[in-house]
Amino acid sequence: MKISTTTDPYFKHLSAEKAVSLISESGFEAIDLFGSGGIITWDLSQIKEHFTSISKISSQNNIEIGQCHAPFPLIKYDKESFDYLLNGGINSVYASAYMNCPYVVMHPGSRANPNNYQMTLDANVEYFSKLIPAMKDTGVSVCIENIFGFDVRDESSPLTPITRNEWFVELIDTLNDICGCEMFFACLDTGHSMIAGVEPHELVYILGKRLKVLHVHDNDSRDDYHWIPGIGKIDWEKFMIALKDVDYRGNFNFESDPIINPLKKPEYFDENVLSTMLKATYAIGRSLCKVLE
């Protein structure tokens, strides 16, 4: 299994060339390219130029772009915002294609009527189904990410439908029925699962063959900290055994945000700290994956 990491924390501090080089030197075999909201307004020529260059950088560093992350949120429910953000979803599919990336991860939306199951489902089906022509044109699949749909700071806040496992599964299956083939899958975010009150290993079994990509990180089950595994409350042995049981074949992709500048201010940024944290994260991933052997 290839060990992968998001590019998001690293692109914030370094150029794409330097960040990808450091990630590769740290042992990673793949990356999860985090998308900028700027691509929502780009035309296809701009998308092709930019993401073809990113693909070239990854090839030069012998590292795979195994998955991408679309900007978010991409779903709002007034007509003007819906059409504007739909362009962002379509552009994200084509951006992935220009990098030969098979999967693009997208968040579902919950703002139409957050406590109405069917209305929320219908609104998401309307949005994601409009991506199908671009998906079939490129061969890129959309992986919908599990999201926690309530205010974690307010214990009385009700769970919204997008938090419910049955809603998540129904959305994916409904979209594949509309598509006429399997092009919609799941991205399991371990931290989001914990906040929603579902142990990540349980969600692995629920998703089964729908599971194609991961966002691996840890937390205290209350806040979305994006810690490296082992710091929070997730039972990682159970999670890895679950991946083995469902015959998960994707990359082991981190979406952790390691401490790369404890002094916060840009002038104190130390590339050596970043390099050390990357190497430690890779080692943790390789150690966890021993369970799969």
Side-chain angles (χ1 to χ4, degrees):
M1 181 174 290
K2 293 179 180 178
I3 309 298
S4 171
T5 183
T6 179
T7 59
D8 184 41
Y10 316 115
F11 277 29
K12 290 177 180 177
H13 295 274
L14 301 168
S15 67
E17 292 86 351
K18 186 61 179 176
V20 173
S21 176
L22 265 182
I23 291 169
S24 178
E25 290 170 5
S26 301
F28 290 92
E29 296 96 358
I31 55 174
D32 170 6
L33 190 80
F34 196 89
S36 163
I39 71 168
I40 293 174
T41 59
W42 290 4
D43 60 37
L44 284 182
S45 64
Q46 291 172 295
I47 291 171
K48 181 177 181 179
E49 179 181 4
H50 178 76
F51 289 99
T52 299
S53 70
I54 297 292
S55 180
K56 184 177 180 180
I57 291 168
S58 70
S59 295
Q60 290 170 341
N61 286 277
N62 196 31
I63 197 165
E64 169 189 289
I65 303 176
Q67 61 199 74
C68 299
H69 200 310
F72 59 89
L74 280 178
I75 303 178
K76 294 185 179 179
Y77 300 101
D78 60 282
K79 180 68 166 61
E80 184 177 355
S81 295
F82 186 95
D83 291 344
Y84 171 73
L85 292 171
L86 177 61
N87 195 57
I90 293 169
N91 282 354
S92 296
V93 171
Y94 280 100
S96 300
Y98 286 128
M99 295 183 292
N100 298 310
C101 175
Y103 302 114
V104 57
V105 174
M106 297 188 186
H107 289 193
S110 66
R111 293 176 181 162
N113 186 333
N115 298 310
N116 185 297
Y117 185 106
Q118 193 61 46
M119 183 179 292
T120 307
L121 180 67
D122 290 347
N124 280 270
V125 167
E126 179 185 5
Y127 180 89
F128 285 112
S129 63
K130 291 183 183 297
L131 303 181
I132 291 174
M135 295 165 64
K136 288 188 172 180
D137 183 40
T138 60
V140 172
S141 294
V142 169
C143 294
I144 301 171
E145 182 175 348
N146 60 303
I147 301 293
F148 55 91
F150 63 96
D151 186 346
V152 298
R153 296 164 297 183
D154 180 5
E155 293 183 358
S156 65
S157 175
L159 295 175
T160 61
I162 63 168
T163 308
R164 294 165 60 179
N165 296 328
E166 64 269 29
W167 185 93
F168 189 35
V169 167
E170 185 173 357
L171 174 61
I172 293 169
D173 291 350
T174 300
L175 288 166
N176 282 327
D177 287 344
I178 293 170
C179 188
C181 58
E182 292 189 348
M183 294 193 76
F184 288 92
F185 299 103
C187 168
L188 194 161
D189 185 297
T190 57
H192 292 175
S193 185
M194 285 292 284
I195 294 172
V198 181
E199 292 284 347
H201 71 273
E202 296 174 357
L203 188 53
V204 171
Y205 291 118
I206 290 168
L207 293 173
K209 65 182 179 60
R210 302 175 187 87
L211 179 59
K212 296 297 181 183
V213 300
L214 301 172
H215 285 170
V216 173
H217 55 102
D218 212 340
N219 62 37
D220 62 353
S221 77
R222 288 288 301 150
D223 289 299
D224 200 21
Y225 287 118
H226 288 256
W227 290 333
I228 56 176
I231 296 177
K233 292 185 175 181
I234 293 175
D235 187 323
W236 290 102
E237 182 180 13
K238 287 183 179 179
F239 179 70
M240 300 307 297
I241 290 171
L243 291 180
K244 185 175 184 178
D245 286 346
V246 302
D247 196 27
Y248 174 73
R249 299 294 184 90
N251 294 340
F252 192 78
N253 178 67
F254 286 96
E255 201 186 47
S256 56
D257 193 358
I259 298 170
I260 52 181
N261 188 5
L263 295 174
K264 305 299 182 185
K265 294 181 180 179
E267 59 266 31
Y268 293 120
F269 172 70
D270 186 340
E271 193 175 294
N272 291 324
V273 174
L274 172 55
S275 177
T276 300
M277 293 303 296
L278 276 167
K279 290 174 182 175
T281 303
Y282 175 81
I284 289 169
R286 188 49 67 199
S287 178
L288 286 170
C289 286
K290 289 180 180 178
V291 177
L292 304 176
E293 297 173 357

